[in-house]
Amino acid sequence: AQSVTQLDSHVSVSEGTPVLLRCNYSSSYSPSLFWYVQHPNKGLQLLLKYTSAATLVKGINGFEAEFKKSETSFHLTKPSAHMSDAAEYFCVVSSRGSTLGRLYFGRGTQLTVWP
Amino acid sequence: SAVISQKPSRDICQRGTSLTIQCQVDSQVTMMFWYRQQPGQSLTLIATANQGSEATYESGFVIDKFPISRPNLTFSTLTVSNMSPEDSSIYLCSVGGGAAGANYGYTFGSGTRLTVV
């Protein structure tokens, strides 16, 4: 079975400071892992994805995530937060090789960026 | 990646009525999914829309309440039937390439924000 746990429902940082959004996963198969961002009143946008290549994945807008199999984690980081990063972030897992390919969403982390 | 047009973007409906949401994709896709996002919650998969056959529903969702059509590889509809205030949510269409989608991610529509009064 597949599942995702986002350890923080809310994260607040000051502009210019680092961002860390934590995600742990559970998967019966080799997982694919994603981070999606949802800005207010907007659709979901794919930030980055891990699909068994490099364990450190770089995404859009300066975000990156590191796949750590031993810790079953896929934390999202950014060195310096920007006001425009304020949004809801979802960690998502899927089973690679599954013909259905469905996604399993974490509950989301609301990121607030203070000026 | 595919471009999705989802309509309507929002609606306010009376309880007891039904609303049909449309999802149009600019290219043929293998998999189409419908999700619900209740206020302050994460996304929950309602069903997988299968082309030419009945949709596959997740636990807790039934065809009578959420009938789905998928007449071809670029279009699907979700109907929310006999609505109550508890159906107030954002409904999202998602598309992907099955195993390829599992590998490379899915594209989501901008969602339909439904308010039932």
Side-chain angles (χ1 to χ4, degrees):
Chain A
Q2 282 65 242
S3 67
V4 171
T5 302
Q6 290 183 246
L7 299 168
D8 307 293
S9 58
H10 292 87
V11 170
S12 295
V13 300
S14 297
E15 190 175 23
T17 63
V19 175
L20 170 64
L21 305 183
R22 298 182 295 167
C23 172
N24 287 103
Y25 71 91
S26 173
S27 178
S28 303
Y29 308 96
S30 296
S32 288
L33 292 156
F34 312 89
W35 277 97
Y36 283 85
V37 61
Q38 186 178 37
H39 287 91
N41 300 314
K42 296 288 181 63
L44 285 161
Q45 181 183 20
L46 181 64
L47 268 182
L48 50 79
K49 57 183 181 286
Y50 165 77
T51 57
S52 83
T55 56
L56 182 62
V57 181
K58 294 187 182 299
I60 62 173
N61 301 333
F63 284 94
E64 61 183 36
E66 186 172 8
F67 173 72
K68 292 187 177 181
K69 185 175 181 179
S70 61
E71 299 177 9
T72 61
S73 69
F74 191 58
H75 302 333
L76 181 70
T77 61
K78 183 173 180 178
S80 176
H82 192 273
M83 295 294 290
S84 62
D85 294 328
E88 186 88 18
Y89 292 79
F90 294 97
C91 183
V92 182
V93 66
S94 182
S95 300
R96 242 176 316 119
S98 165
T99 55
L100 185 59
R102 61 166 294 178
L103 303 179
Y104 298 83
F105 280 77
R107 64 177 181 173
T109 298
Q110 180 68 46
L111 176 64
T112 299
V113 182
W114 300 102
Chain B
S1 60
V3 176
I4 300 174
S5 174
Q6 188 174 336
K7 296 179 181 179
S9 59
R10 59 179 62 233
D11 207 341
I12 301 173
C13 300
Q14 298 289 325
R15 67 179 67 198
T17 63
S18 297
L19 175 71
T20 295
I21 302 168
Q22 298 181 359
C23 179
Q24 177 73 56
V25 192
D26 69 343
S27 59
Q28 293 186 344
V29 291
T30 307
M31 310 294 287
M32 295 182 79
F33 303 90
W34 287 98
Y35 287 85
R36 181 175 72 182
Q37 186 179 21
Q38 294 179 297
Q41 302 295 317
S42 186
L43 278 74
T44 301
L45 180 64
I46 297 172
T48 302
N50 302 308
Q51 193 267 328
S53 65
E54 194 171 285
T56 304
Y57 289 84
E58 297 298 307
S59 175
F61 297 96
V62 295
I63 188 171
D64 290 345
K65 177 66 176 178
F66 297 101
I68 288 171
S69 78
R70 188 167 178 201
N72 55 54
L73 293 176
T74 64
F75 185 77
S76 178
T77 66
L78 168 74
T79 299
V80 186
S81 303
N82 188 26
M83 288 183 285
S84 66
E86 291 71 33
D87 295 320
S88 298
S89 294
I90 299 173
Y91 294 85
L92 297 107
C93 168
S94 175
V95 303
N103 288 343
Y104 303 114
Y106 290 78
T107 302
F108 285 81
S110 56
T112 297
R113 185 179 296 273
L114 171 63
T115 302
V116 183
V117 298

